[in-house]
Amino acid sequence: MDINFNKDVYCLIGNPIAKSLSPIINNSYYKIIGKNNIYLAFNVKEKDLADVINVFKILNIKGFNVTLPHKISIMEHLDSISDEAKILGAVNTVKNKNGRLIGYNTDGMGFLKSLELEDVGVKDKTVLVLGAGGAANAISISLAKEGVKKIIISNRTLSKAKILAEKISRKFPKVTSEYDSLKLKNVRKEKIDIIVNCTSVGMHPNIDESPINLHGFSENLIIYDIIYKPRRTKLMELAEKKGYYTINGLSMLINQALCSQEIWLEVEDYNFLKNYKEIKRILEIYVE
Ligand code: NAP
């Protein structure tokens, strides 16, 4: 790497961050586009968050990503927050614009971008979202904004599914929203076009588990599992056996990073697809 004084510094803060793929994605991106920037990852304890933000301002760090456990607490340190991040109540990207810190959330944007790159349209579709945590929130809200017909939230803890379904109805009255448990007893499975798994079921080390069984769905079903480690989850394995089209979480992971870069660099990346494919090729070496 060419180290000189012209580098803009970007970074990730979270705890833990040791296994994060963000430095690989973002530094690969800078290399591909020929930018003399650098992206680092810092382990930040909750008690140190305010001090770290202050130092970032003093050092003129141009932007940073925020991951667990700071996605909510970061908001009190920012000067303004995008509408999308406000609805989600969580920030994963901060831009330092002349000393003012602006918060965004690119999880939903990255998810939608990944669908666009896969040529999967969501308008007027019925989508079953598994999970009701942070990722399910971002993805459901982005799907509602994009004009899906119906969203069904299905979660182990029913009360959380209800809260998210009610939030969707409140913010997007044109979208029908329902909720159920992961047993899906009240769901008309044959009407579902897309399933998005936003639970952590199937992730390392529980790689032999699937959040739902796949009986009773239509033959044109698309299954998107946002888990990226392993690249092929049990749910995807079951789906492929049935001949369903599947997408894994690497695509969303890379696209939310590229969306952060567009915010930081303030340019639309005209080679988005080419750059995405190149980063995906690099990442696949790191993720089995
Ligand atoms: P989160 O806020 O902690 O939510 C976790 C969700 O998983 C909750 O709905 C939880 O249900 C459910 N869950 C956990 N263990 C379960 C089990 N044993 N059985 C059934 N449901 C279970 O986490 P998150 O941030 O939303 O992340 C969720 C997953 O998405 C993780 O695997 C994460 O790696 C992945 N992710 C991927 C990307 C990407 O870019 N590809 C981005 C963000 C997240 P309860 O409400 O009942 O606890």
Side-chain angles (χ1 to χ4, degrees), residues 68 71 107 130-137 154-158 160 182 197-201 203 206 209 211 224-228 248-254 256:
L68 299 175
K71 281 181 154 190
D107 282 340
L130 309 176
N137 256 272
S154 152
N155 194 45
R156 175 179 62 178
T157 309
L158 201 59
K160 289 191 197 164
L182 290 170
N197 178 35
C198 304
T199 73
S200 39
V201 181
M203 214 169 94
N206 306 314
E209 293 173 27
Y224 192 148
D225 196 331
I226 70 161
I227 289 174
Y228 49 85
N248 76 13
L250 272 186
S251 181
M252 173 176 166
L253 183 74
I254 298 167
Q256 56 87 18

Side-chain angles (χ1 to χ4, degrees), residues 19-45:
K19 290 187 178 158
S20 171
L21 296 170
S22 293
I24 299 168
I25 297 173
N26 288 284
N27 287 317
S28 300
Y29 182 67
Y30 294 142
K31 202 168 175 192
I32 292 167
I33 64 167
K35 271 263 174 203
N36 201 15
N37 293 342
I38 187 163
Y39 185 102
L40 304 166
F42 295 116
N43 212 69
V44 173
K45 294 185 184 131

Side-chain angles (χ1 to χ4, degrees), residues 102-119:
I102 309 165
Y104 301 85
N105 193 309
T106 62
D107 282 340
M109 291 178 213
F111 173 76
L112 289 180
K113 191 79 193 171
S114 67
L115 287 179
E116 187 190 316
L117 297 185
E118 295 278 347
D119 220 5

Side-chain angles (χ1 to χ4, degrees), residues 4-206:
N4 62 39
F5 292 107
N6 295 320
K7 282 191 190 302
D8 278 342
V9 177
Y10 295 87
C11 62
L12 166 71
I13 56 169
N15 186 9
I17 43 89
K19 290 187 178 158
S20 171
L21 296 170
S22 293
I24 299 168
I25 297 173
N26 288 284
N27 287 317
S28 300
Y29 182 67
Y30 294 142
K31 202 168 175 192
I32 292 167
I33 64 167
K35 271 263 174 203
N36 201 15
N37 293 342
I38 187 163
Y39 185 102
L40 304 166
F42 295 116
N43 212 69
V44 173
K45 294 185 184 131
E46 282 178 74
K47 69 173 180 55
D48 296 328
L49 185 62
D51 287 343
V52 168
I53 302 305
N54 221 6
V55 169
F56 280 3
K57 279 185 172 174
I58 293 167
L59 295 180
N60 196 22
I61 299 291
K62 293 287 167 68
F64 52 97
N65 286 128
V66 184
T67 188
L68 299 175
H70 307 307
K71 281 181 154 190
I72 297 169
S73 50
I74 187 72
M75 293 198 287
E76 67 187 79
H77 303 284
L78 305 179
D79 298 297
S80 67
I81 295 173
S82 74
D83 289 345
E84 182 151 2
K86 269 188 206 154
I87 294 180
L88 296 174
V91 160
N92 79 338
T93 300
V94 177
K95 178 177 174 65
N96 179 351
K97 190 154 190 167
N98 307 321
R100 288 188 80 252
L101 298 184
I102 309 165
Y104 301 85
N105 193 309
T106 62
D107 282 340
M109 291 178 213
F111 173 76
L112 289 180
K113 191 79 193 171
S114 67
L115 287 179
E116 187 190 316
L117 297 185
E118 295 278 347
D119 220 5
V120 173
V122 294
K123 200 158 172 41
D124 297 324
K125 295 279 165 67
T126 295
V127 184
L128 172 63
V129 174
L130 309 176
N137 256 272
I139 284 172
S140 314
I141 297 293
S142 66
L143 285 168
K145 273 175 86 175
E146 205 64 9
V148 293
K149 183 166 80 183
K150 185 174 186 176
I151 300 180
I152 303 157
I153 306 294
S154 152
N155 194 45
R156 175 179 62 178
T157 309
L158 201 59
S159 57
K160 289 191 197 164
K162 182 171 187 266
I163 291 171
L164 179 51
E166 286 175 353
K167 180 172 170 181
I168 295 165
S169 297
R170 225 176 24 254
K171 306 265 182 204
F172 303 91
K174 285 188 186 153
V175 177
T176 307
S177 70
E178 294 176 0
Y179 64 95
D180 201 350
S181 75
L182 290 170
K183 297 211 165 64
L184 304 174
K185 287 206 171 123
N186 305 309
V187 172
R188 292 184 66 188
K189 293 180 178 179
E190 71 284 2
K191 296 280 181 195
I192 289 164
D193 300 299
I194 304 170
I195 297 179
V196 188
N197 178 35
C198 304
T199 73
S200 39
V201 181
M203 214 169 94
H204 271 292
N206 306 314

Side-chain angles (χ1 to χ4, degrees), residues 28-29 31-34 113 117 254-255 258 269-282:
S28 300
Y29 182 67
K31 202 168 175 192
I32 292 167
I33 64 167
K113 191 79 193 171
L117 297 185
I254 298 167
N255 280 298
L258 296 185
D269 182 353
Y270 294 109
N271 287 321
F272 203 101
L273 180 60
K274 185 176 147 287
N275 295 338
Y276 159 74
K277 282 186 177 163
E278 177 62 12
I279 294 171
K280 189 159 185 248
R281 194 187 57 73
I282 296 166

